[in-house]
Every structure is written in C-alpha cells, then in structure tokens.
Amino acid sequence: MRRSWVEQLMGMPISVLARGEYADSAAAEAAVKELYAELDDVDRVFSPYKRDSDVSRLGRAEIGLDEVHADVRDVAERCAAARELTGGLFDADLPDGGWDPSGLVKGWAVERAGDRLRAVDGVDWCLNAGGDVLVICPGGTPFTIGIQDPHDPGRVVASLARTGGAVATSGTAARGEHLYDPRTGRPATSRWLSVSVSGASLEYADILATAAFVAGDGWPEVLPAGYEGLGVLADGNLQATPGWGVT
C-alpha cells in the first residue's frame, strides 16, 4: 500500500510518500500531520522573508542572540561547526555582515522532523523537501531517487537507490546565482551546474552539497568518509565519486 501527502512550506513543496502495510494507518496520518506542523513552526522562527521571525528580528538588531528561540542558538552553533567542517566553504555569515542560516536550516529541520516518521512501525518513508530527499526504509526495499537535469527540470540525469539516509543537491539552475563563495565574498561561479551528495544525514548532505558546489573542480575532496557525490557539468557530462550508487 502507498499513500502520499504534499504541502507548500518553507517556500517549497514538501512531499511525503508512505509505503507498506500500515501506510494508511491513523499513526502514519498523525506522524505526517506532526511533521508538517513542526516544519511550519521552523519557518515561523527562521524565515528571512517573514518580518516577525526571530532571524529577521535578529538581522534588524531588534533582539539579541540571548533573546531568540533556543533553536536559533542551536542552529548558530551548527553553522559554526559546518564552517569548520568545510574549511570555510559553507558560511552563514554574509559578506555584508548579515547572518543567513537558510543553507543549513532546511536539512536540519527535515532531518529532525523525520523522527516523527521513524516512530511509526511497519512503514517505509520517502520525504522530499524541494528536491532534497530523506529516506527511511525499515522494510529494506529501496526507493529510487532521481537526480534532476539542471537544463530540464522534467528530466533526470541519474538515479540512486537508497534504503536509508539522504540525498541533497546544490546548484544554480533553479535559483540562479544565489550561492556565494566565502573565500571571495562574491557569487559562486563554476563550470558545474549542480552537485548532489548522498549520506546518512540530510543536514550534512545539504551542507556538503553547498560546500562542494562552491569548491568548483575540487568538489570531490570536500566530501568526508561516508558521503558520496555526483556532479553535473554544463555540457551534460557527469562525474561521480567511487561510492556513488552504493546503498
């Protein structure tokens, strides 16, 4: 049995696919409802587009870090750790002196909210948040995740079977030059259109995908043990790390 849900949250479609004998159960329905509620709460706290969010108020210096929601302080610490992990290729501190944790928040929030789904016995889950995917498969049968063609959102350039963990993609095809290179303070430029990263944690896969894209041709060197990647060049050629495709 399969069942699916989708809602527009955090500025993107977030879809949930449940598979298994209890996919249509009340427990599965309740878990998905709780997941969406949790992500809506995260958006209220972290959205840089909502004037009354903690992040927006912090940016306008209306409140200090000691006055924000505890999750904001947690994310600030995670952003500092991500900067250290990536050798400065991921940095929530902006060139203009501002602070934008958005590059970490999505992966962190979805990974955490996934605990709602993990608590339901007898159900496999595939959670897609704007193209970044979290897979939970206690049944052991993999989901197949498509890697979007940067030139054509309706096509895939590769697929990856996963029985657990996450896949995140970073690039400029969908949103243009929205990433900046902390080494120069300028928009990140690369002959790569996208880099996808797979691994155990969506939070880290998302961070590493951003850092890898910013790194340019040296992107495979950014990935630590346990994380693999696939890069898509502007001419359509692909480059994968040795463990890409291994479930």
Side-chain angles (χ1 to χ4, degrees), residues 173-244:
R175 296 173 56 193
E177 293 184 347
H178 68 289
L179 300 174
Y180 83 98
D181 188 337
R183 298 168 298 184
T184 64
R186 299 176 60 82
T189 58
S190 175
R191 66 192 186 108
W192 301 90
L193 290 185
S194 70
V195 178
S196 299
V197 174
S198 67
S201 162
L202 184 57
E203 177 181 347
Y204 284 101
D206 206 9
I207 291 165
L208 292 168
T210 298
F213 182 83
V214 170
D217 286 350
W219 71 260
E221 300 168 14
V222 174
L223 307 184
Y227 287 82
E228 304 291 341
L230 177 74
V232 182
L233 284 164
D235 62 8
N237 283 323
L238 310 179
Q239 177 184 344
T241 56
W244 177 264

Side-chain angles (χ1 to χ4, degrees), residues 7-37:
E7 288 196 17
Q8 190 78 17
L9 288 171
M10 302 172 70
M12 60 189 161
I14 298 179
S15 64
V16 182
L17 172 62
R19 180 184 66 193
E21 182 180 357
Y22 301 105
D24 200 33
S25 66
E29 175 74 32
V32 173
K33 183 176 180 180
E34 290 169 2
L35 176 141
Y36 282 135

Side-chain angles (χ1 to χ4, degrees), residues 5-7 9 12-18 31-32 35-36 39 106-118 124-137 143 145 165-167 202:
W5 301 257
V6 63
E7 288 196 17
L9 288 171
M12 60 189 161
I14 298 179
S15 64
V16 182
L17 172 62
V32 173
L35 176 141
Y36 282 135
L39 294 178
K106 179 173 70 169
W108 161 79
V110 172
E111 181 72 39
R112 186 179 70 168
D115 287 343
R116 308 285 188 174
L117 308 182
R118 293 184 182 95
D124 294 339
W125 300 95
C126 184
L127 172 56
N128 187 324
D132 292 343
V133 180
L134 178 66
V135 172
I136 303 164
C137 285
F143 284 102
I145 301 165
V167 180
L202 184 57

Side-chain angles (χ1 to χ4, degrees), residues 23-165:
D24 200 33
S25 66
E29 175 74 32
V32 173
K33 183 176 180 180
E34 290 169 2
L35 176 141
Y36 282 135
E38 181 172 336
L39 294 178
D40 191 39
D41 287 342
V42 167
D43 194 42
R44 280 197 293 271
V45 172
F46 285 96
S47 174
Y49 305 107
K50 298 180 186 295
R51 283 191 55 81
D52 60 346
S53 74
D54 280 25
V55 165
S56 293
R57 296 182 66 207
L58 188 64
R60 296 193 299 270
E62 294 176 1
I63 53 176
L65 199 57
D66 59 337
E67 300 172 89
V68 297
H69 193 287
D71 282 348
V72 179
R73 292 190 291 274
D74 180 27
V75 163
E77 292 176 1
R78 290 173 182 269
C79 286
R83 182 174 57 241
E84 182 73 18
L85 172 70
T86 62
L89 291 169
F90 177 97
D91 197 341
D93 294 329
L94 303 177
D96 63 4
W99 183 66
D100 183 5
S102 300
L104 182 142
V105 166
K106 179 173 70 169
W108 161 79
V110 172
E111 181 72 39
R112 186 179 70 168
D115 287 343
R116 308 285 188 174
L117 308 182
R118 293 184 182 95
V120 183
D121 293 332
V123 180
D124 294 339
W125 300 95
C126 184
L127 172 56
N128 187 324
D132 292 343
V133 180
L134 178 66
V135 172
I136 303 164
C137 285
T141 300
F143 284 102
T144 299
I145 301 165
I147 305 301
Q148 188 179 76
D149 183 345
H151 288 297
D152 181 356
R155 295 182 62 249
V156 298
V157 295
S159 60
L160 180 66
R162 294 288 300 188
T163 57

